[in-house]
Amino acid sequence: MKTILFLLIAIGMVGCGSDDSGNDNQTPDPNPIENPQKSKLLSNLQQIQNSSKILIGHQGTNIAGVGWRLNNFPNGDKSDFKDVSGKTPAVFGWEIAPNNESFTTTFDAITFDETIRLAIKAYENNAVNTFSMHPYRLDNNQSSWNNTPGYVAKILPNGTMHNQYKAWLDKLIMHFKKLKNSKGEAIPFIFRPYHEMDGGWFWWGTTACTDAEYIDLFRFTIDYMHNNGLNNMLVCYSPGYETTLAGYLKRYPGDKYVDILGIDAYHLSADPNSNNGANWNYNLQKLNVLKQVGISKNKPIAWAETGQQNLTSNNYFTELTQFITTNNIQLSYMMFWANYTATVSNGGGEGFYVPYQSLNNTTLKNDFINFTNQPNYIFQNSQEAIYK
């Protein structure tokens, strides 16, 4: 579903510079200095999952909504989710890729410093931050959805653009290092890079690079970030297409590179046979595989992206709760995709995955409110300190 939305996005790019080469084989630091809050967060995510409670999240919840953007509410207190339910998500999803090589404005059309500021605020309010990205290509200045093969090979070690990719990562790392609490200590966060790698729509997907190339890209990226000081980062691996164990693990980079196992799975009701049958039964296949992998690897699992685009079902949230309860689905967190307003970058469209205040649909709003009142769902400040 999210893929369909973002295919409309046209991002202005600047020149990618000249090609250069590099030859370095990154390996994990054998003696990393662990961040105690990161370790505690990971442990608490597993405990929450084992208790059959679920942290509820929303992508970009205070960045944009239907009819508004952050610049209208710069304090970051506005949220469609909160406006309707009276509750604030316990998981905040952020976009961390730039919309040009200068690393000033993110793909969400706000500055990196604003993103970091809001993430720190979420942490201070006992929420979890998870970052994903839709990076443009350095070889042709096209978006993540430009899936012409060959780019991944260029940015891997020994590739013609490897040094350029490292310089790109250096800028990303610089911004992540700004995630500090009032004592100047690095605060933990979840990084979910190169997601939905088992589909063919991204330049890191199945039509654009081999399984081996993807694994090398994932490993190099995480090694490089860890070796450059990001000891406060948990890593989430999140396919979005396969419904089999073999499919889920086909591009898995290895246990030492992954802390959280995720899945991206949306729901369609108008035409259950579209989008590869993205209905409840299809999602159950995905989540059963996720559960199986989580048990075998002893790692927390997350429904990293979900929702129903523009909520065509008035009882979607009731159905979701019934689906979770009936199938005994245990998750550390579940995150709905973003609400957004019309901008040039998204082709002038609007969309939503949770109701918004001015929506003329009381039935749907009440369904969402009832969902947020379920005792097994956790929202910001409704759980014990998650970093202690």
Side-chain angles (χ1 to χ4, degrees), residues 189-207:
F189 67 95
I190 299 169
F191 185 43
R192 189 170 62 96
Y194 301 125
H195 63 300
E196 299 175 9
M197 73 299 293
D198 53 339
W201 41 89
F202 292 134
W203 57 252
W204 57 87
T206 55
T207 61

Side-chain angles (χ1 to χ4, degrees), residues 33-80:
I33 300 173
E34 276 301 313
N35 179 292
Q37 285 194 321
K38 181 191 81 170
S39 300
K40 192 60 180 177
L41 172 58
L42 185 63
S43 174
N44 284 337
L45 289 175
Q46 187 68 69
Q47 288 182 32
I48 288 168
Q49 177 179 312
N50 293 343
S51 71
S52 296
K53 293 182 179 293
I54 304 172
L55 294 167
I56 302 298
H58 187 208
Q59 178 76 15
T61 195
N62 54 356
I63 290 176
V66 178
W68 63 273
R69 290 195 62 81
L70 178 65
N71 59 304
N72 306 121
F73 303 91
N75 289 332
D77 296 324
K78 175 73 171 175
S79 163
D80 286 350

Side-chain angles (χ1 to χ4, degrees), residues 68-366:
W68 63 273
R69 290 195 62 81
L70 178 65
N71 59 304
N72 306 121
F73 303 91
N75 289 332
D77 296 324
K78 175 73 171 175
S79 163
D80 286 350
F81 192 110
K82 184 177 71 172
D83 286 346
V84 174
S85 70
K87 295 181 172 67
T88 302
V91 179
F92 282 63
W94 309 103
E95 171 66 46
I96 199 65
N99 68 0
N100 57 58
E101 201 168 355
S102 66
F103 268 81
T104 53
T105 305
T106 73
F107 191 83
D108 272 337
I110 68 170
T111 68
F112 275 80
D113 285 342
E114 285 175 315
T115 302
I116 297 300
R117 173 179 65 86
L118 293 173
I120 293 172
K121 182 176 180 179
Y123 160 83
E124 290 172 343
N125 286 311
N126 203 36
V128 178
N129 291 296
T130 177
F131 292 84
S132 56
M133 61 180 187
H134 296 85
Y136 65 96
R137 297 171 59 135
L138 294 169
D139 62 342
N140 62 14
N141 292 330
Q142 297 298 308
S143 77
S144 292
W145 288 267
N146 183 276
N147 58 1
T148 303
Y151 174 53
V152 171
K154 294 177 184 177
I155 61 177
L156 288 174
N158 299 319
T160 57
M161 303 188 73
H162 182 58
N163 283 350
Q164 248 181 281
Y165 182 58
K166 288 194 295 182
W168 189 93
L169 286 176
D170 288 339
K171 295 175 184 177
L172 188 66
I173 292 165
M174 175 189 69
H175 287 289
F176 273 138
K177 285 186 175 180
K178 297 176 183 177
L179 285 168
K180 295 184 177 182
N181 63 19
S182 58
K183 298 178 181 179
E185 301 165 333
I187 65 177
F189 67 95
I190 299 169
F191 185 43
R192 189 170 62 96
Y194 301 125
H195 63 300
E196 299 175 9
M197 73 299 293
D198 53 339
W201 41 89
F202 292 134
W203 57 252
W204 57 87
T206 55
T207 61
C209 68
T210 66
D211 296 344
E213 286 172 338
Y214 176 84
I215 291 170
D216 286 347
L217 172 65
F218 197 107
R219 289 176 175 175
F220 174 82
T221 300
I222 300 307
D223 283 342
Y224 192 83
M225 297 174 79
H226 279 155
N227 291 339
N228 280 277
L230 290 181
N231 69 334
N232 53 323
M233 178 177 72
L234 295 172
V235 179
C236 179
Y237 170 80
S238 189
Y241 181 79
E242 295 284 354
T243 58
T244 66
L245 180 62
Y248 186 93
L249 295 174
K250 184 169 58 174
R251 294 190 161 203
Y252 186 65
D255 288 350
K256 68 181 180 181
Y257 291 93
V258 175
D259 302 293
I260 300 166
L261 298 159
I263 197 76
D264 294 7
Y266 289 81
H267 177 73
L268 298 175
S269 64
D271 181 5
N273 295 315
S274 65
N275 196 26
N276 301 299
N279 52 27
W280 294 122
N281 289 333
Y282 180 68
N283 286 335
L284 182 59
Q285 293 177 55
K286 289 185 175 184
L287 288 164
N288 281 340
V289 168
L290 181 63
K291 177 181 178 180
Q292 183 179 354
V293 178
I295 291 172
S296 68
K297 297 184 177 298
N298 193 31
K299 295 179 185 291
I301 63 175
W303 201 341
E305 288 185 28
T306 193
Q308 183 185 69
Q309 185 180 3
N310 296 336
L311 292 169
T312 56
S313 299
N314 283 341
N315 61 344
Y316 165 75
F317 295 100
T318 295
E319 289 183 7
L320 176 59
T321 293
Q322 291 173 344
F323 172 75
I324 290 170
T325 303
T326 302
N327 295 292
N328 191 30
I329 294 170
Q330 293 180 295
L331 303 162
S332 59
Y333 67 88
M334 172 172 63
M335 191 178 72
F336 297 106
W337 198 244
N339 287 19
Y340 56 92
T341 192
T343 65
V344 173
S345 64
N346 65 31
E350 290 185 330
F352 58 97
Y353 288 85
V354 301
Y356 54 95
Q357 195 168 41
S358 61
L359 180 65
N360 185 23
N361 189 335
T362 303
T363 302
L364 177 58
K365 288 180 181 178
N366 286 337

